[in-house]
Amino acid sequence: MRYFDLQPADDLSAIGRITQDIGDVSGRDPLAALKELEDLLSISLPPLDSLRRCQIAEQWEVLGNYSAAEQQLSQISMEGLPDDIAAQVLLRRASLCRWTNDAPQAIHLAKQAQELAQKVNDDECAGEAAAVIGYAYWLLDEYEMAYDALRQAVEVLGRTKNLRAFTQACWALTYVCNLLGRTSEAQEVSERGIVALTNSPKADSPFGQTILGHLRASQAVIAFECGNVEIALMIHERALDHWMSTNDPRLLANGYRNVADIHFATGNWDQAEALLEQAAYLISESDPSIRCSTLITMSRLSARRGKFSDARLALADANMLASQCGSRSLLAEYHDALGETDLLEQNYTDAENNFAAARDLFIKMNQPSRVAYANLRLAETRLIEGDLSGAQAVFEVARELAARTTNPLLAAHVDRLSGKLALAQGDTATGLSALLRSIHGFESLNFAWQVALGYFDVGTAVGEGIPLMQQREWLETAISIFRHLGTAPHLMAAEAALVELSRRTPVTLQDLPGLNTTQVERLTTATASTESVARELAAIIDSYKIAVAVFAENVEGDVLVITSRGLENETVQDLRTLLRRRLQHPDTPHSDSIRFECLWQTETHLSPHRPRSLWVHLGRLKPDIEPLIHSLLRLAGTALELCHLRAVVDELSTAQKVSEVRVDDATLSELGLIGVSPAMREIAARILRIRDASVTVLITGESGTGKEVVARAIHRASARRHKPFVAFNCAAVPAELLESQLFGHKKGAFTGADKDALGVIRAADGGTLFLDEIGELPLHLQPKLLRFLQEREVHPVGADRAIAVDVRVIAATNRDLAREVAARSFREDLFHRLNVLNIALPPLRERRADIPVLAQAFLQEAAARNQKTVTLSEAALTALTLYDWPGNVRQLQNEIERVVALADDRELLTPSSFNFTVPSASPPTEAGLETIFPEGHIPPKLTDAVALLERHLITESLKRHGGNVTRTAQELGISRPSLYAKCKTYGITISKAVGS
């Protein structure tokens, strides 16, 4: 029964005016609307009072104050309410559950509201309830069910005058249609929403601009999927213009990220990176979904440029945010991006697992296009691993899914992998045809990265009938694009392939008139260095009685003489001076009577060890011999290019071997290390790089970070792993016994020395000696330790002669030894002798991704020792991850030990099981309080006090690090985007903070 059906006729006009006032507040100032609504509560009509409270709750939702909305709704009693008002109350409660991520309860309440609204023929309430059901299913990544509910909402609300609810439902339905690949319907629905808004006076309101921006962004996605990349960019920029008028940082961040995605796809990576940085600056910590998607795009950009540590760091944060959101969609994107990073780093097993995980999540969300992309990446990974049948199987699934769409980008990806599979099966013609078709597809879409990969694929294809000269052109095109993009790994691979191709390319004489086979062989076999090519060229030219001089310009702009024939030395030096002047002042007019011809030059991979360009000066040429000489110069230029490429590849390969060490989970396990963070993988990589050396290593880091664990890992990776590992704590032994403990003693050397003692150094002979807390070593013993490190021999106390010892020394300290040296409490020469190789262990708060795996490992160990079965709840794992752990790994391990000891068998540990207390410190002084809080008075509200404290800590940290944002964020234990967001919130200007 409807409430308005029960009222006397005299009351209806007054009630109508009130409901007209409060019924539609979209586009108005929410705070002003709240004031009006609260004033209306003075009218004592209980059912209408409930309706007003619903309106007030709705405005609090708009403002994001969900607790205030809940407070209003809690004051409404459902008992005795008419059906139409009860439906409104249920609708508002359902909407609130949707905003607080309680999707199941939102669906339950919205269905009740919809049933009551349909009973009283309230289309507006029924349509809004259907929309809430759709939003809730969207949160659950149940897109088919979201589609059904939102489609019903759009149809029902389209018959009402509720513009706000109708256009919001249009936007949501458009988004879901895009995810499900229903682009035609998405285009139609978005147009309905845009037309409805643009024909309304509310189009220019903040609400109107917000929804218009969302609808435009959805249309841009449609254009992108259809291959209209330039149109997509234009529409995204229009959406960004709409959002700029709202001054909402969350919307602006989303807009910048959307535009960045287009620039990233089309190869404008520098512009994409700048836009992503801008988005990260705007995003606050309350927007985990946008932050997560921004970090995922950042990781892809870093990985393609070869910055794998940066990529994994961004993905670690993205994984945490995706888990926090509970979004399968974001989790799938995370696995897909992580798989791409693994693939580029050649961690093929991990890549396959991540692509499979992404595919399975996309299947659950019924996103066929994304399933196809994931299967294509999975097939490519299997193909690289040599699993041709496995690759073919998943490729066929992807091809079948792609055939159901009209997505040209997906079709180009299918062509590319089809070509690679055909080449692997020996079908060269089909393979090349498919690859060239894919290149054409990517070029039409202006996808630079994929175009470069396609040219690299055809340039490195192996099979009969492939023209080698054409392959050279393809590789040169790939190199040009890779160089423009700044993707180091692929650039190096393409240049290496070009060198290998040059070795296989036969030299023909058709384009080199006058040359004979002997001359060609002399030049092409002299490619060991640029000097050998230049000398061979000069010798051949000299055989024709022509004077010649060859010069090299280095990276500093100086000109050097490589060789000359038939010219006086003084003349050669004059020519050198003249050439240098012309190169330094290229725009200055000069005489053509003395000419220099450029044999070869480069502006990439410059090195002080290689020339930038080579020039030749020739004597007078007779007309009949001129074509032959120019053919020689062309051939010499090709040989010089080959020399350059070989040198570059050798350099990059050497650097790659030194800097790039693949570290997977199995490697970490073999080393005895626990962790998944980029920091731990980098430490493991450093250990692997130094495993064959016997130099001294100094491990630094806060107390409890695991310095001895790393020392044991170094020993385990080395050739000494079968010999003893002896650990000695320099702070655990009294000063008067240290010398004897370290170096040993002879019987009778001092009172109580009743027998010979080896000492820990000799006990470690052939193995590794770990000197922990080396900063505690007394000054009077430091010279003796220094002598041992220099001479590799020890002099036991009371002994007549020194004894040679073969020991690798690893030292560790939590002190700043450089500062100790400055304070003269530690010898500088000993510090330099110890600090040959340094491994700095970050505190646990700077590698939070390791906390869950460490906690689970410690839990298993403690449970086994206590013979209990104990598990960690998700909430407990989250709480452990968020805690700063001032005592680092040791504190975490001890806390797990304590909790397991006190727990019952089969208990589920919750956050309340743990003691998250910070060790007490001395209270701040009055002067210290005044620097943080105005006049030393702490504000009564916790949020105000925390804000002032955070502002002080950020400002002081920025000062300490000279405005370096990365170091400041590391010290504070937050990410760079979080630091930017907090600076914006607290009005901190980095340059002013440093200068103040």
Side-chain angles (χ1 to χ4, degrees), residues 851-887:
I851 293 176
V853 291
L854 284 166
Q856 294 288 9
F858 295 152
L859 184 74
Q860 290 178 8
E861 293 174 4
R865 278 194 296 271
N866 289 273
Q867 297 182 344
K868 295 178 181 178
T869 302
V870 184
T871 54
L872 279 168
S873 68
E874 286 296 324
L877 207 56
T878 302
L880 292 171
T881 304
L882 295 176
Y883 185 55
D884 279 346
W885 299 107

Side-chain angles (χ1 to χ4, degrees), residues 22 70 78 259 261 340 375 394 601 731 765 922 944 959:
I22 66 177
E70 173 62 31
M78 297 291 292
V259 177
D261 285 342
E340 182 178 352
N375 269 330
V394 290
Q601 64 181 349
D765 191 20
S922 56
D944 295 337
K959 286 181 185 177

Side-chain angles (χ1 to χ4, degrees), residues 303-314:
R304 291 183 185 182
R305 282 184 159 168
K307 300 175 181 178
F308 299 120
S309 295
D310 290 348
R312 292 191 181 279
L313 190 61

Side-chain angles (χ1 to χ4, degrees), residues 222-230 406-409 444-447:
I222 297 168
F224 185 84
E225 291 291 328
C226 293
N228 301 318
V229 180
E230 292 183 3
T406 56
N407 186 333
L409 177 60
S444 67
L445 296 169
N446 197 25
F447 272 46

Side-chain angles (χ1 to χ4, degrees), residues 644-918:
H644 172 71
L645 289 173
R646 281 179 175 168
V648 168
V649 170
D650 289 343
E651 271 187 17
L652 292 174
S653 299
T654 303
Q656 189 83 351
K657 289 175 184 176
V658 173
S659 61
E660 293 290 339
V661 178
R662 286 169 50 192
V663 176
D664 52 20
D665 293 340
T667 305
L668 286 169
S669 178
E670 289 171 6
L671 294 175
L673 300 177
I674 301 174
V676 295
S677 68
M680 282 307 296
R681 292 186 186 276
E682 177 58 30
I683 288 167
R686 293 205 69 189
I687 290 172
L688 294 177
R689 290 187 202 113
I690 64 176
R691 60 185 166 190
D692 296 327
S694 292
V695 293
T696 307
V697 180
L698 179 63
I699 306 173
T700 57
E702 294 179 8
S703 180
T705 48
K707 293 185 283 293
E708 183 172 343
V709 173
V710 171
R712 290 184 181 276
I714 295 171
H715 175 73
R716 190 176 286 115
S718 72
R720 300 172 181 267
R721 57 185 171 274
H722 300 300
K723 296 299 177 90
F725 175 89
V726 179
F728 181 75
N729 192 318
C730 299
V733 178
E736 59 273 13
L737 297 179
L738 260 176
E739 184 178 9
S740 172
Q741 291 279 333
L742 278 171
F743 302 102
H745 62 259
K746 299 292 288 183
K747 179 179 178 180
F750 51 84
T751 304
D754 53 356
K755 60 180 179 180
D756 291 349
L758 283 176
V760 294
I761 295 176
R762 290 166 65 195
D765 191 20
T768 304
L769 173 65
F770 175 56
L771 297 176
D772 199 6
E773 304 294 351
I774 192 66
E776 307 297 329
L777 190 69
L779 268 173
H780 73 276
L781 281 180
Q782 291 180 20
K784 192 165 185 177
L785 180 61
L786 175 64
R787 178 174 175 77
F788 156 64
L789 293 173
Q790 290 173 335
E791 306 298 334
R792 295 295 167 176
E793 59 183 26
V794 296
H795 203 121
V797 178
D800 297 329
R801 59 185 179 83
I803 302 171
V805 184
D806 175 24
V807 171
R808 181 179 194 168
V809 176
I810 303 173
T813 181
N814 57 10
R815 289 191 177 192
D816 186 345
L817 289 187
R819 187 173 295 175
E820 299 285 330
V821 169
R824 298 184 180 279
S825 58
F826 201 88
R827 289 179 63 101
E828 183 177 4
D829 48 5
L830 178 58
F831 169 65
H832 292 307
R833 178 63 65 173
L834 291 170
N835 196 36
V836 177
L837 287 172
N838 178 258
I839 296 178
L841 297 187
L844 197 53
R845 62 182 173 274
E846 292 181 11
R847 45 186 180 102
R848 295 182 189 273
D850 292 337
I851 293 176
V853 291
L854 284 166
Q856 294 288 9
F858 295 152
L859 184 74
Q860 290 178 8
E861 293 174 4
R865 278 194 296 271
N866 289 273
Q867 297 182 344
K868 295 178 181 178
T869 302
V870 184
T871 54
L872 279 168
S873 68
E874 286 296 324
L877 207 56
T878 302
L880 292 171
T881 304
L882 295 176
Y883 185 55
D884 279 346
W885 299 107
N888 294 297
V889 180
R890 185 183 295 122
Q891 182 189 0
L892 172 63
Q893 185 175 16
N894 291 341
E895 183 64 15
I896 297 285
E897 290 273 6
R898 183 189 68 80
V899 170
V900 172
L902 297 175
D904 295 328
D905 191 21
R906 302 188 181 281
E907 182 176 341
L908 179 67
L909 301 178
T910 64
S912 60
S913 307
F914 295 88
N915 180 20
F916 296 110
T917 56
V918 180

Side-chain angles (χ1 to χ4, degrees), residues 94 97-98 101-111 114 129-152 172 175-176 179-180 326-329 364-365 367:
C97 289
R98 162 227 175 176
N101 291 326
D102 188 356
Q105 183 67 0
I107 294 169
H108 173 69
L109 293 172
K111 285 184 175 179
Q114 187 181 35
V132 171
I133 293 170
Y135 300 144
Y137 278 126
W138 180 358
L139 284 176
L140 295 172
D141 297 321
E142 298 288 350
Y143 297 118
E144 281 290 353
M145 302 181 77
Y147 167 79
D148 292 337
L150 288 168
R151 187 178 181 185
Q152 180 186 8
Y175 187 90
V176 170
L179 290 174
L180 294 173
S327 168
R328 285 189 298 182
S329 179
K364 290 178 182 177
M365 294 182 289
Q367 295 187 33

